[in-house]
Amino acid sequence: QVQLVESGGGLVQAGGSLRLSCAASGRTVSAYAMGWFRQAPGKEREFVAAFSRSGASTYYADSVKGRFTISRDNAKNTVYLQMNSLKPEDTALYYCAFRRGSDYYTGSSYEHWGQGTQVTVSS
């Protein structure tokens, strides 16, 4: 059974940092492309960051480029999202998932979503 469990969210002041973790079981993260998405109240889910299966390529939404970094630790079978210079508009529930489709920025390309971890940035 494939499962993803996100953690590391919390309340932080604007300008602060958080590191989100996405621990996988039932599937090896090193063999798959993966991504992070977020959804704020009343808004649609949106793409945040992703990496290719090899890990050689990374992709970011324009809104987080230069502030967020996606990475993975194959030994821990875990994917991370380092978030720096956080802004109130980054407040959302953050999810990770495995990518099976060709479009890295589209939610329908992903499967086995985790339950999410809440990030709240105060101004």
Side-chain angles (χ1 to χ4, degrees):
Q1 181 180 357
V2 179
Q3 188 175 17
L4 293 171
V5 178
E6 301 94 338
S7 63
L11 174 64
V12 63
Q13 289 187 334
S17 298
L18 283 174
R19 188 179 77 158
L20 305 185
S21 299
C22 172
S25 58
R27 186 177 284 187
T28 305
V29 301
S30 61
Y32 291 87
M34 296 186 68
W36 285 93
F37 283 71
R38 66 187 181 186
Q39 187 167 20
K43 295 186 177 181
E44 294 186 354
R45 181 177 57 192
E46 64 173 357
F47 168 74
V48 176
F51 57 74
S52 60
R53 184 169 61 180
S54 70
S57 298
T58 55
Y59 313 94
Y60 296 94
D62 288 343
S63 58
V64 307
K65 200 170 295 182
R67 300 187 298 122
F68 290 13
T69 303
I70 188 172
S71 63
R72 68 184 179 193
D73 185 328
N74 295 337
K76 294 183 178 180
N77 211 33
T78 299
V79 175
Y80 301 100
L81 184 68
Q82 177 67 43
M83 308 187 296
N84 299 328
S85 302
L86 283 161
K87 303 176 180 179
E89 50 264 44
D90 294 319
T91 295
L93 190 60
Y94 283 71
Y95 302 88
C96 63
F98 287 99
R99 181 162 65 89
R100 56 175 171 77
S102 58
D103 293 331
Y104 63 83
Y105 51 85
T106 304
S108 58
S109 292
Y110 292 78
E111 62 182 1
H112 299 300
W113 296 84
Q115 84 291 344
T117 185
Q118 179 67 40
V119 172
T120 303
V121 184
S122 63
S123 57

